[in-house]
């Protein structure tokens, strides 16, 4: 259990809002609205007109306790004028689609932020690789294009052992494809290009060298200090994948490890090359023999997951609150739990059979000793089909306890966590 540290000096929040913050193009995963309201500020949403949104975002506006909503129909001047009337004094991007617009609005309102002319560097993996290479930093060899012929010419020129084909837009929920020869690139190209356009409105793809080995997620927050960008890495995670490439688990790395320090130093230099001057960033890093850490992609959004509470207790601060404070000063004191030093592991589940979760088995899973959190679909009392991204969070200061529960969870997942496609007897007898 976390032991709260001493409270910070408190300030009384006036009945009126301290300020107004605009969340640009918030999606359904965006948590900014509630967090801004907790800080005593008034959140408003800047939604994209339906003509400017890729098809997955044409659903009703993202929910949230917004005091006001306005729609950006393409005119930056008109949107900025409306925001001035609303006395907006802070701007954050609520999704990857909102990054360019948020940076443009911030510049027009004379608020701190990066150069809108280079917005593509904050969300496009192809542009990022070029920028890193120009800065003299290790970068993946790649080509960004909409032309299959150009991609094949590049592949034949470089003669790599394997390639990765992915959307140029780094934040879209589209899996990259590993290809070993041009025939596989040809086969994967049409479908991937179509999905990239559907999710981001941009059909550019990136064909890059495939870096074998583990991937690392580095979360950071940048503040402007005396006119200089000060990058602070909040947490680093290592991914483990199955033999067929599916994500199995993500483990929080200790800050004292030499690898963690190497990732810190590389990310600081990479963020400078990408023009990040304030706000959060999620960097996905690979490791290349002879070159060290190599950026695969980055996006300037805050990372959130079911592991946030366990992470807060393990490292002693709230990552999301830290990201928000880069744009909005903390309004009230908050108790921050003292760090526990616990290991934190996110277990990523992969539905089998019908995909519907058995509530009896899910209850057994939730009550395991090291389980700190589960995604919402594992909390249902009735059989439910899990969405993409189902996970279980384990936390403990004992490594063997996490590894033991991890093996049990995989056994439950294989044997009885998912209901069969047809009505067959359950492997375990239920208690009635």
């Amino acid at each position: 259990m976390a032991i709260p540290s001493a409270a910070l000096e408190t300030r009384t929040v006036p009945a009126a809002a301290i300020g107004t913050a605009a969340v640009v193009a918030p999606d359904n995963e965006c948590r900014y609205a509630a967090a801004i309201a907790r800080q005593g500020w008034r959140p408003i949403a800047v939604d994209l007109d339906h003509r400017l949104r890729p098809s997955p975002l044409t659903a009703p506006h993202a929910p949230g306790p917004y005091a006001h909503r306005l729609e950006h129909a393409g005119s930056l001047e008109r949107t900025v004028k409306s925001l001035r009337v609303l006395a907006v004094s802070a701007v954050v991007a609520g999704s990857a689609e909102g990054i360019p617009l948020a940076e443009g609005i911030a510049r027009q309102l004379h608020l701190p932020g990066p150069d809108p002319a280079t917005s593509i560097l904050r969300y496009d993996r192809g542009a990022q690789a070029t920028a890193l290479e120009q800065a003299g930093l290790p970068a993946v060899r790649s080509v960004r294009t909409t032309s299959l012929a150009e991609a094949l010419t590049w592949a034949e020129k470089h003669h790599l052992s394997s390639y990765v084909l992915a959307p140029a837009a780094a934040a879209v929920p589209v899996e990259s494809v590993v290809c070993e020869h041009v025939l596989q690139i040809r086969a994967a190209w049409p479908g991937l290009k179509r999905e990239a356009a559907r999710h981001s409105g941009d059909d550019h793809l990136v064909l890059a060298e495939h870096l074998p080995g583990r991937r690392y997620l580095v979360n950071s927050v940048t503040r402007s200090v005396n006119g200089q960008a000060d990058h602070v890495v909040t947490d680093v995670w290592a991914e483990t994948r199955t033999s067929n490439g599916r994500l199995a688990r993500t483990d929080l790395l200790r800050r004292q490890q030499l690898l963690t320090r190497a990732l810190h130093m590389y990310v600081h230099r990479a963020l400078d090359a990408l023009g990040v001057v304030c706000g959060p960033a999620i960097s996905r890093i690979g490791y290349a023999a002879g070159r060290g850490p190599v950026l695969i992609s980055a996006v300037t959004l805050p990372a959130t997951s079911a592991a946030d509470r366990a992470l807060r207790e393990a490292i002693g601060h709230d990552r999301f609150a830290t990201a928000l404070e880069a744009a909005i000063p903390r309004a009230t004191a908050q108790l921050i739990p003292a760090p526990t030093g616990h290991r934190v592991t996110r277990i990523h589940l992969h539905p089998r059979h019908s995909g519907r979760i058995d509530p009896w088995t899910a209850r057994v899973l939730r009550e395991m000793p090291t389980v700190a959190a589960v995604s919402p679909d594992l909390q249902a009392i009735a059989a439910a089909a899990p969405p993409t991204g189902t996970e279980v969070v384990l936390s403990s200061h004992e490594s063997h306890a996490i590894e033991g529960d991890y093996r049990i969870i995989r056994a439950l997942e294989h044997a009885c966590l998912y209901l069969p496609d047809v009505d067959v007897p359950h492997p375990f007898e239920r208690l009635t």
Side-chain angles (χ1 to χ4, degrees):
M1 175 180 290
I3 302 174
S5 62
L8 304 174
E9 181 181 356
T10 61
R11 286 194 291 149
T12 302
V13 180
I18 297 172
T20 301
V23 183
V24 181
D27 61 17
N28 289 330
E29 303 300 320
C30 182
R31 290 173 46 198
Y32 269 134
I36 289 171
R38 285 196 298 270
Q39 295 291 77
W41 285 57
R42 184 172 67 128
I44 68 171
V46 180
D47 297 309
L48 299 180
D49 180 88
H50 71 277
R51 295 167 296 178
L52 303 176
R53 288 178 286 181
S55 56
L57 297 181
T58 55
H61 294 152
Y66 293 104
H68 184 79
R69 307 191 81 111
L70 62 90
E71 198 166 69
H72 172 73
S75 171
L76 179 60
E77 291 184 2
R78 181 173 297 177
T79 298
V80 170
K81 182 178 180 180
S82 298
L83 294 176
R84 283 199 178 103
V85 171
L86 293 168
V88 165
S89 54
V91 179
V92 294
S95 65
E97 288 75 17
I99 291 173
L101 180 57
E103 293 182 355
I105 291 172
R107 175 60 59 92
Q108 292 293 317
L109 292 176
H110 305 292
L111 299 174
D115 182 1
T118 62
S119 288
I120 193 172
L121 297 181
R122 264 78 74 189
Y123 63 87
D124 188 291
R125 67 185 86 215
Q128 290 167 356
T130 301
L132 293 176
E133 187 176 6
Q134 291 174 347
L137 293 175
V140 291
R141 291 171 286 180
S142 64
V143 60
R144 178 184 185 273
T145 180
T146 58
S147 168
L148 174 58
E150 183 180 358
L152 295 178
T153 299
W154 184 89
E156 292 171 351
K157 175 183 176 181
H158 286 80
H159 296 292
L160 302 176
S161 59
S162 57
Y163 307 86
V164 176
L165 187 61
V172 299
V174 179
E175 287 289 334
S176 58
V177 179
V178 177
C179 305
E180 295 182 354
H181 47 72
V182 295
L183 291 179
Q184 291 178 333
I185 297 173
R186 284 182 181 275
W189 185 274
L192 203 61
K193 185 178 181 181
R194 184 168 54 252
E195 286 299 295
R198 188 173 76 89
H199 285 275
S200 68
D202 184 356
D203 62 354
H204 278 85
L205 299 183
V206 170
L207 183 65
E209 64 175 315
H210 176 229
L211 299 177
R214 302 187 84 176
R215 297 285 185 269
Y216 303 92
L217 290 177
V218 181
N219 296 303
S220 61
V221 176
T222 301
R223 296 184 180 87
S224 180
V225 179
N226 297 324
Q228 299 293 321
D230 178 32
H231 310 299
V232 177
V233 172
T234 57
D235 49 289
V236 181
W237 302 77
E239 293 183 348
T240 301
R241 294 183 177 269
T242 62
S243 57
N244 62 3
R246 303 181 79 180
L247 186 59
R249 59 189 284 177
T250 309
D251 294 272
L252 179 67
L253 295 184
R254 297 185 183 278
R255 299 181 68 87
Q256 296 81 3
Q257 294 178 244
L258 291 177
L259 172 61
T260 309
R261 295 178 182 177
L263 292 170
H264 277 221
M265 291 187 291
Y266 175 80
V267 166
H268 280 214
R269 298 174 64 197
L271 293 177
D272 282 339
L274 301 181
V276 178
V277 298
C278 64
I282 310 168
S283 302
R284 183 175 294 275
I285 310 292
Y287 209 90
R291 288 185 285 165
V294 177
L295 181 74
I296 297 173
S297 66
V299 61
T300 49
L301 295 172
T304 60
S305 75
D308 285 350
R309 179 177 178 180
L311 175 65
R312 182 170 64 248
E313 293 176 349
I315 66 178
H317 69 262
D318 188 313
R319 178 179 60 192
F320 189 81
T322 302
L324 183 60
E325 286 169 22
I328 300 174
R330 185 188 294 267
T332 58
Q334 298 178 14
L335 285 176
I336 304 298
T340 62
H342 278 196
R343 285 187 57 189
V344 180
T345 297
R346 298 167 57 191
I347 309 302
H348 307 278
L349 304 183
H350 305 294
R352 302 171 65 245
H353 305 306
S354 67
R356 295 187 302 131
I357 290 177
D358 175 64
W360 183 85
T361 310
R363 185 183 66 184
V364 173
L365 187 152
R366 293 194 302 269
E367 294 175 355
M368 294 175 64
T370 69
V371 171
V374 297
S375 49
D377 44 295
L378 288 168
Q379 300 171 5
I381 60 174
T388 303
T390 301
E391 66 179 67
V392 181
V393 179
L394 308 183
S395 180
S396 174
H397 67 279
E398 298 177 343
S399 299
H400 66 85
I402 283 184
E403 298 306 319
D405 281 357
Y406 174 73
R407 289 191 291 270
I408 293 173
I409 289 170
R410 288 303 185 200
L412 289 173
E413 183 182 28
H414 178 76
C416 56
L417 182 58
Y418 307 112
L419 296 173
D421 296 301
V422 295
D423 188 15
V424 297
H426 194 279
F428 294 138
E429 181 181 356
R430 310 290 172 79
L431 297 176
T432 58

